[in-house]
Amino acid sequence: AEYCAERGFFPGRGIWKLDGLTHWGYGGRVLKENPKKRGVPVYSDFDGLELDVETKETREDAFPRDFKHANCFDNWPPVMALQNTRAKNHRGTPADFQEAAKLASAAIGWQKAVDGRNDFWWEVKNESTITEEWVLHGEEGVDSWGKLAEFHNIMADAIRSAHPDVLVGGPASAWM
């Protein structure tokens, strides 16, 4: 990013693969499943989250304060993934849309807590127009586009409710 930034080019869109929160975490903390509620993360483990100075400086160099960066969500944690689908659900199409929206909204809040700002625009699910990303497209008897619209609206409502300064969009795909 620094090489590109020196030449006037900035990364315009990122991706936040939420399953990474369960593997390597964020700010030194790892997302765990609530032992009393299957598929529900323990959000309180991220209270008071801060990034180290070096990480903050690196992000500041890559994304200047006045740059309107876009981002998207993908790969919900495996414990939140819809089970027993025809297509392998390795991108984490979530089973519970409300809980998925809660995690996405919380993640935006963590971003603001550690960075003092949010990404300007969020796409609710990376490349959800293809079955590999949205496994419901491969399920017989399921209105996958209707479910995608329902998911998008739940996500958008949750994000805008908690973060009115954030714009929400989608679906968008690099390839169809």
Side-chain angles (χ1 to χ4, degrees):
E2 289 176 24
Y3 173 87
C4 295
E6 290 170 1
R7 289 154 181 79
F9 295 95
F10 296 99
R13 178 190 179 270
I15 186 169
W16 193 340
K17 295 183 178 187
L18 294 168
D19 64 343
L21 292 168
T22 62
H23 303 301
W24 54 84
Y26 186 60
R29 301 177 194 192
V30 176
L31 189 69
K32 297 178 211 102
E33 182 179 23
N34 184 330
K36 296 179 181 177
K37 288 185 165 181
R38 174 131 174 75
V40 176
V42 177
Y43 296 100
S44 60
D45 288 349
F46 286 78
D47 290 347
L49 183 66
E50 288 186 31
L51 289 183
D52 60 87
V53 173
E54 183 180 336
T55 303
K56 285 182 179 182
E57 288 173 355
T58 300
R59 180 155 165 87
E60 189 72 32
D61 288 344
F63 306 103
R65 287 266 166 203
D66 61 345
F67 185 70
K68 294 188 185 224
H69 186 255
N71 214 332
C72 74
F73 291 110
D74 202 12
N75 297 39
W76 269 259
V79 299
M80 297 178 80
L82 186 62
Q83 301 297 313
N84 303 316
T85 55
R86 295 175 72 186
K88 184 173 168 49
N89 191 3
H90 61 277
R91 300 282 194 243
T93 300
D96 182 332
F97 295 172
Q98 296 287 344
E99 201 59 48
K102 184 176 177 182
L103 176 56
S105 185
I108 292 171
W110 301 330
Q111 181 188 55
K112 189 168 191 171
V114 300
D115 214 21
R117 61 186 167 159
N118 299 98
D119 287 321
F120 181 72
W121 180 278
W122 280 92
E123 178 186 336
V124 299
K125 173 71 177 86
N126 182 55
E127 296 185 331
S128 57
T129 61
I130 56 175
T131 303
E132 185 176 297
E133 292 283 348
W134 188 251
V135 295
L136 292 172
H137 291 316
E139 295 297 299
E140 288 184 27
V142 174
D143 177 8
S144 63
W145 291 100
K147 290 304 239 180
L148 181 57
E150 177 187 348
F151 175 72
H152 179 275
N153 289 333
I154 289 169
M155 288 281 289
D157 289 346
I159 291 168
R160 284 192 301 240
S161 175
H163 312 284
D165 56 322
V166 173
L167 298 179
V168 180
S173 287
W175 50 280
M176 298 297 282

